[in-house]
Amino acid sequence: MAEEAHGADEGGLVFHPMDQFIIKPLFGDGPVGMFTITNATLWMALAVVCVIALLVLGTRKRAIIPSRTQSVAELAYGFIYKMVEDVAGKDGVKYFPYIMTLFIFIVFSNFLGLIPGSFTTTSHIAVTAVMAMGVFLFVTILGFVKHGAGFLSLFWISSAPLALRPILALIEIISYFVRPVSHSIRLAGNMMAGHAVIKVFAAFAPLVLISSGIGLLVTPLSIIAITAIYALEVLVSFIQAYVFTILTCVYLKDALHPHH
């Protein structure tokens, strides 16, 4: 903010809302390589620590009358278990640990990104694409292991007229391979957009220090806007984790029951 205010003193308001998404080395200022420990590495590690703290340490001393941490862990467990059972069916319950891990990691990554000065790892397509591709490969391999060549019936809509089936099959194949793209971009795009908008409004907050006239009007409005969007981002952080997880359940259902 100081740099932005300084830039404004020199002739205009200068801010870069996308700077918050730059991946930087955690130690030193060298280039980012494959094994460089970065700010993204740090915040992903913190998300893993939070997952362990909630699901392992928080439930270590289980009791009939649960503690607050145990209650949150049980609520998350029951919520995702019912989702998997309802969407993927009884056969999908055995894959619950994988889906639960995805959900809780994304939730913590999203919420940690709301801490001022933090880094939102799920705003990067490199992170979300790895998770989406993992889901895509998992359900595809599972489908062929379970059904062999019968898994290809997922693309053959037997209820459609015979003349339309080849065209629909081509559409189904294209949409199937687009899944990891849409799966990853949806999460990264929503997280990036919300944080960028907050940054834009935050850049106008120091105007009261620069211009007493316009600043007295713009600064309170920007603070109100930041508060409203931040509250919305809290909701979006959970919803996007939910959407990513329920789509995973839908894809799992297709792998277990591919017949139209």
Side-chain angles (χ1 to χ4, degrees):
M1 288 300 179
E3 292 178 0
E4 292 164 5
H6 180 67
D9 287 336
E10 292 179 352
L13 187 64
V14 178
F15 63 93
H16 303 281
M18 305 305 288
D19 282 356
Q20 59 184 308
F21 305 113
I22 296 175
I23 296 180
K24 303 174 183 177
L26 201 58
F27 307 104
D29 299 318
V32 176
M34 184 177 294
F35 300 104
T36 304
I37 300 176
T38 64
N39 48 353
T41 309
L42 171 65
W43 287 96
M44 280 193 286
L46 288 175
V48 172
V49 170
C50 289
V51 172
I52 295 173
L54 176 64
L55 298 182
V56 179
L57 301 181
T59 59
R60 184 174 54 181
K61 297 180 179 179
R62 291 182 291 275
I64 297 177
I65 302 177
S67 62
R68 293 180 181 177
T69 307
Q70 183 182 334
S71 296
V72 172
E74 290 178 353
L75 182 64
Y77 183 98
F79 176 71
I80 300 302
Y81 188 92
K82 191 172 188 308
M83 180 196 300
V84 175
E85 189 176 42
D86 290 346
V87 177
K90 295 288 185 179
D91 295 342
V93 171
K94 66 173 70 174
Y95 308 104
F96 162 78
Y98 174 58
I99 297 173
M100 177 67 177
T101 302
L102 277 176
F103 173 78
I104 206 71
F105 174 77
I106 295 172
V107 163
F108 275 115
S109 296
N110 290 351
F111 280 116
L112 286 174
L114 292 173
I115 300 174
S118 66
F119 184 85
T120 311
T121 56
T122 45
S123 66
H124 272 267
I125 193 70
V127 176
T128 58
V130 170
M131 293 188 291
M133 186 56 67
V135 171
F136 177 77
L137 293 175
F138 167 68
V139 297
T140 303
I141 294 171
L142 178 65
F144 280 107
V145 169
K146 287 279 188 181
H147 306 284
F151 179 63
L152 296 176
S153 63
L154 176 67
F155 310 111
W156 189 255
I157 305 177
S158 57
S159 60
L162 184 60
L164 293 178
R165 291 179 194 177
I167 299 174
L168 293 176
L170 179 60
I171 295 173
E172 286 291 323
I173 291 172
I174 293 172
S175 65
Y176 186 83
F177 283 96
V178 170
R179 280 180 176 183
V181 179
S182 61
H183 206 186
S184 57
I185 290 178
R186 182 183 293 104
L187 175 57
N190 278 282
M191 297 311 299
M192 178 180 289
H195 286 66
V197 171
I198 291 176
K199 177 73 172 183
V200 169
F201 281 108
F204 291 98
L207 279 180
V208 72
L209 304 175
I210 302 167
S211 173
S212 58
I214 298 177
L216 289 175
L217 174 64
V218 174
T219 296
L221 291 177
S222 66
I223 293 173
I224 293 172
I226 291 168
T227 305
I229 296 172
Y230 190 92
L232 178 62
E233 278 301 292
V234 172
L235 182 61
V236 168
S237 295
F238 178 81
I239 290 176
Q240 288 305 312
Y242 172 79
V243 169
F244 192 98
T245 309
I246 199 168
L247 285 175
T248 301
C249 293
V250 171
Y251 300 157
L252 176 61
K253 178 185 178 183
D254 288 342
L256 296 173
H257 310 285
H259 304 287
H260 283 282

